[in-house]
Amino acid sequence: VVSEDALRRALERIDEAASAVWMRPSLMHSVREALDRPWVLDIDASIKPLYGRQAGAEVSYNPHKPGRPSHVVHTYWVGNLRLVLHAQLQSGKSHTPTHGLPGLKALLERLPRAQRPQLVRGDCAYGSDTVMRELEDLQQPYLFKLKQSAGVKKLVQRQWRQREWLDAGQG
């Protein structure tokens, strides 16, 4: 078993771009069969509070430790398996979904059409015009929660009056 320090020293010697060229195809090879069945891609951004000095740490949105520097991890995984397909570590000021959008698009474009997710699922932060437009350009179905802003409530009320809703089996 390799110690944590030995692994860290070994990884410091590997060029980041060269490791990505090797790592991405290797990861996709290991999960290829799981993606042959219908699946959902879950996306999320997690704030990682930091202590001390670390590269890329910036003071920004940090719900657990306000005023502390942080990193953000944009993660993309197979929902029912909790199998991570890609993750991006960025500075604390890159917590919005638009900062993770290039990684999401790259992941979807690398997947063959037959292995793409049936659905991309995320919380209300992803329900922005920018993210939804990009996914629509890729012809990728998605499901995001919406912020219940005044405009969204008015739109739902207008649609409700038209009585063209279909029962989705949830009452």
Short mmCIF file of all heavy atoms in Angstrom, two decimals, residues 11 96 132:
data_model
loop_
_atom_site.label_atom_id
_atom_site.label_comp_id
_atom_site.label_asym_id
_atom_site.label_seq_id
_atom_site.Cartn_x
_atom_site.Cartn_y
_atom_site.Cartn_z
N LEU A 11 2.41 12.29 -7.70
CA LEU A 11 1.46 13.08 -8.49
C LEU A 11 1.99 14.47 -8.80
O LEU A 11 1.67 15.05 -9.84
CB LEU A 11 0.11 13.17 -7.78
CG LEU A 11 -0.67 11.87 -7.70
CD1 LEU A 11 -1.94 12.05 -6.87
CD2 LEU A 11 -1.03 11.36 -9.09
N THR A 96 -20.72 29.64 -9.21
CA THR A 96 -21.96 29.60 -9.98
C THR A 96 -21.88 28.52 -11.06
O THR A 96 -20.80 28.18 -11.52
CB THR A 96 -22.26 30.96 -10.64
OG1 THR A 96 -21.22 31.26 -11.57
CG2 THR A 96 -22.36 32.06 -9.59
N MET A 132 -29.48 26.33 -19.42
CA MET A 132 -30.52 25.63 -20.17
C MET A 132 -30.34 25.81 -21.68
O MET A 132 -30.51 24.86 -22.45
CB MET A 132 -31.91 26.11 -19.73
CG MET A 132 -32.23 25.68 -18.30
SD MET A 132 -33.92 25.99 -17.77
CE MET A 132 -33.97 27.76 -17.72
#
